[in-house]
Amino acid sequence: MALWRGSAYAGFLALAVGCVFLLEPELPGSALRSLWSSLCLGPAPAPPGPVSPEGRLAAAWDALIVRPVRRWRRVAVGVNACVDVVLSGVKLLQALGLSPGNGKDHSVLHSRNDLEEAFIHFMGKGAAAERFFSDKETFHDIAQVASEFPGAQHYVGGNAALIGQKFAANSDLKVLLCGPVGPKLHELLDDNVFVPPESLQEVDEFHLILEYQAGEEWGQLKAPHANRFIFSHDLSNGAMNMLEVFVSSLEEFQPDLVVLSGLHMMEGQSKELQRKRLLEVVTSISDIPTGIPVHLELASMTNRELMSSIVHQQVFPVVTSLGLNEQELLFLTQSASGPHSSLSSWNGVPDVGMVSDILFWILKEHGRSKSRASDLTRIHFHTLVYHILATVDGHWANQLAAVAAGARVAGTQACATETIDTSRVSLRAPQEFMTSHSEAGSRIVLNPNKPVVEWHREGISFHFTPVLVCKDPIRTVGLGDAISAEGLFYSEVHPHY
């Protein structure tokens, strides 16, 4: 009987200490271990749940990411689409007989030599870039070598098609895609993506995606980060040929969310055509019924005049939401003389306070306010190690879930896993930062248990979360589009919008 009582006491005490673990998880582990050992119950058990910062952060995300009350049912996406040919940049340039020389940026590529110099320039920085290749015949020759190269892979490409493909993974969503869709692209698209007959064409547009890994070397060059360099000779997307088809399809499709991308593809066009097309974009978006949010996805650009026109020629005021990365954000503020525009490039990880200042300026100068009839109320900013969702108060809900979902998909898609694999990702976000540099901001210290940080500034809310960066990424192309799509999927627009 005494033996039985001893076992019962031990069991009761074990249960009590277990309850302490659950009810007071913040109690120091040393105190719990001391309590356990003083009871002579043997080695203390490990605390429940994940212990690494990455594991704690991923678990906290999973608790935060909830579907919005009002969900999108029909999403229309346009207007750039293509087939991405993805392969090793170094191996392709070697196959073309090119050798590593000095890096130099070219806003437009005219030759193989321009390609080699631009690739070296951006690989040395570990930065993403996209360029237009002007010579049709040379591009065709390079594309043929790339497409037939051992290990080259063909994927859905173009921001609109990639965003549409990501939305289509949700079976309860109907997705319309308008863009130049050739036979190969049509074959690659999800069955849940509807392409109007007017968008189908006989020949695909190919984009070449030259990837490189962190630490990859070519001659004296060593890449600091994994990334990619994109180039194409794409006239259909460059002229935004499917814009009218897109807008005319909306009346029948009746979307509750519209996503527009491809403006950056106009860089290869004349200034006159750019100006004309932008006016047509503004007119087309203005024709979309009031109450349907329009998200504009930006992409890599080099033409400051075109970017300035996008900002100032009424494009920003007619869209509801923006998606962009650190290169596009800095180029935007440089082109429009915004905050920190004297900065020539980011020095490593983009400073959170500077990014916050620029996002605030965009929404204050071009967003909705009592004195301005603008639709712009939301910006989703993403960079390798963190994301920020900035929204004008009173227009959006579920921001915590949206920014967390966008960051989570960056880690899963880059590593090609269904869920976050904590052994394959690392937390590289700044451990502390200021929320502003142009005014007295707050100092934030990162806590993996509470990974979404919120702050407010003059009627604008900011939601920040780190990214769990994939240590050995399988594929970097389309991450920004997946991030924007996932963030939008979990976002909720207020009904009075």
Side-chain angles (χ1 to χ4, degrees), residues 102-109 114 117-122 125 129-131 229 301-302:
N102 295 321
K104 181 183 177 183
D105 190 12
H106 294 272
S107 58
V108 175
L109 308 179
D114 286 359
E117 290 180 343
F119 179 78
I120 288 172
H121 174 80
F122 287 102
K125 293 176 177 289
E130 186 167 349
R131 296 291 181 266
F229 181 84
M301 294 175 65
T302 60

Side-chain angles (χ1 to χ4, degrees), residues 179-243:
V181 178
K184 182 65 177 177
L185 178 56
H186 206 200
E187 173 193 320
L188 292 169
L189 286 171
D190 190 290
D191 291 341
N192 203 28
V193 176
F194 171 70
V195 180
E198 298 85 353
S199 276
L200 298 173
Q201 58 183 41
E202 294 180 3
V203 180
D204 284 285
E205 296 287 355
F206 288 96
H207 288 207
L208 304 190
I209 318 293
L210 308 190
E211 293 196 320
Y212 50 85
Q213 301 305 311
E216 186 172 352
E217 298 180 11
W218 193 30
Q220 301 298 309
L221 188 67
K222 186 174 182 178
H225 309 293
N227 225 313
R228 74 282 188 279
F229 181 84
I230 306 175
F231 68 105
S232 66
H233 178 83
D234 183 341
L235 298 179
S236 293
N237 286 305
M240 297 187 74
N241 285 343
M242 293 298 166
L243 179 65

Side-chain angles (χ1 to χ4, degrees), residues 105-147:
D105 190 12
H106 294 272
S107 58
V108 175
L109 308 179
H110 300 290
S111 65
R112 294 183 181 209
N113 188 58
D114 286 359
L115 169 63
E116 178 248 330
E117 290 180 343
F119 179 78
I120 288 172
H121 174 80
F122 287 102
M123 182 178 172
K125 293 176 177 289
E130 186 167 349
R131 296 291 181 266
F132 180 77
F133 201 106
S134 64
D135 188 314
K136 180 181 178 180
E137 296 304 320
T138 303
F139 176 80
H140 178 76
D141 293 342
I142 296 171
Q144 191 163 358
V145 172
S147 197

Side-chain angles (χ1 to χ4, degrees), residues 31-82:
L32 291 168
R33 284 193 295 274
S34 176
L35 170 62
W36 187 272
S37 57
S38 70
L39 298 170
C40 302
L41 297 175
V51 291
S52 70
E54 289 83 2
R56 300 204 311 273
L57 195 148
W61 274 345
D62 288 343
L64 283 174
I65 298 172
V66 294
R67 292 281 293 269
V69 176
R70 296 178 70 250
R71 304 175 187 178
W72 314 114
R73 298 298 177 193
R74 306 173 75 83
V75 181
V77 187
V79 289
N80 62 325
C82 64

Side-chain angles (χ1 to χ4, degrees), residues 58-375:
W61 274 345
D62 288 343
L64 283 174
I65 298 172
V66 294
R67 292 281 293 269
V69 176
R70 296 178 70 250
R71 304 175 187 178
W72 314 114
R73 298 298 177 193
R74 306 173 75 83
V75 181
V77 187
V79 289
N80 62 325
C82 64
V83 174
D84 280 344
V85 183
V86 183
L87 72 163
S88 161
V90 171
K91 289 179 180 177
L92 175 63
L93 295 187
Q94 287 173 336
L96 294 172
L98 297 168
S99 55
N102 295 321
K104 181 183 177 183
D105 190 12
H106 294 272
S107 58
V108 175
L109 308 179
H110 300 290
S111 65
R112 294 183 181 209
N113 188 58
D114 286 359
L115 169 63
E116 178 248 330
E117 290 180 343
F119 179 78
I120 288 172
H121 174 80
F122 287 102
M123 182 178 172
K125 293 176 177 289
E130 186 167 349
R131 296 291 181 266
F132 180 77
F133 201 106
S134 64
D135 188 314
K136 180 181 178 180
E137 296 304 320
T138 303
F139 176 80
H140 178 76
D141 293 342
I142 296 171
Q144 191 163 358
V145 172
S147 197
E148 296 171 0
F149 196 84
Q153 297 172 296
H154 296 77
Y155 293 103
V156 170
N159 307 89
L162 283 163
I163 290 172
Q165 190 83 331
K166 187 65 182 174
F167 273 124
N170 303 285
S171 57
D172 56 344
L173 267 181
K174 288 184 168 57
V175 181
L176 171 79
L177 170 65
C178 285
V181 178
K184 182 65 177 177
L185 178 56
H186 206 200
E187 173 193 320
L188 292 169
L189 286 171
D190 190 290
D191 291 341
N192 203 28
V193 176
F194 171 70
V195 180
E198 298 85 353
S199 276
L200 298 173
Q201 58 183 41
E202 294 180 3
V203 180
D204 284 285
E205 296 287 355
F206 288 96
H207 288 207
L208 304 190
I209 318 293
L210 308 190
E211 293 196 320
Y212 50 85
Q213 301 305 311
E216 186 172 352
E217 298 180 11
W218 193 30
Q220 301 298 309
L221 188 67
K222 186 174 182 178
H225 309 293
N227 225 313
R228 74 282 188 279
F229 181 84
I230 306 175
F231 68 105
S232 66
H233 178 83
D234 183 341
L235 298 179
S236 293
N237 286 305
M240 297 187 74
N241 285 343
M242 293 298 166
L243 179 65
E244 285 75 20
V245 170
F246 183 47
V247 175
S248 64
S249 301
L250 298 181
E251 188 174 350
E252 182 180 347
F253 185 70
Q254 295 287 302
D256 45 24
L257 172 66
V258 171
V259 180
L260 176 69
S261 64
L263 297 185
H264 64 289
M265 296 298 300
M266 292 195 290
E267 286 197 317
Q269 306 298 318
S270 67
K271 288 182 181 180
E272 185 182 341
L273 182 59
Q274 288 175 3
R275 197 177 302 113
K276 177 174 177 285
R277 258 344 223 160
L278 279 181
L279 287 172
E280 289 166 348
V281 166
V282 171
T283 303
S284 298
I285 297 174
S286 301
D287 287 343
I288 296 171
T290 304
I292 300 175
V294 179
H295 173 85
L296 174 63
E297 189 70 11
L298 294 176
S300 178
M301 294 175 65
T302 60
N303 186 324
R304 288 198 179 192
E305 192 173 335
L306 176 59
M307 177 60 94
S308 179
S309 297
I310 290 170
V311 175
H312 292 122
Q313 285 190 3
Q314 299 304 304
V315 178
F316 273 21
V318 296
V319 299
T320 318
S321 170
L322 289 177
L324 74 178
N325 67 16
E326 76 279 8
Q327 302 292 334
E328 295 137 22
L329 185 76
L330 183 58
F331 188 65
L332 191 159
T333 197
Q334 289 169 345
S335 303
S337 302
H340 311 298
S341 55
S342 60
L343 194 67
S344 59
S345 63
W346 297 112
N347 183 20
V349 174
D351 183 279
V352 177
M354 289 183 173
V355 168
S356 173
D357 289 339
I358 300 170
L359 296 176
F360 176 78
W361 165 77
I362 295 171
L363 288 174
K364 272 295 174 186
E365 289 293 314
H366 304 283
R368 178 177 288 193
S369 67
K370 290 179 180 177
S371 60
R372 187 183 305 108
S374 168
D375 284 336

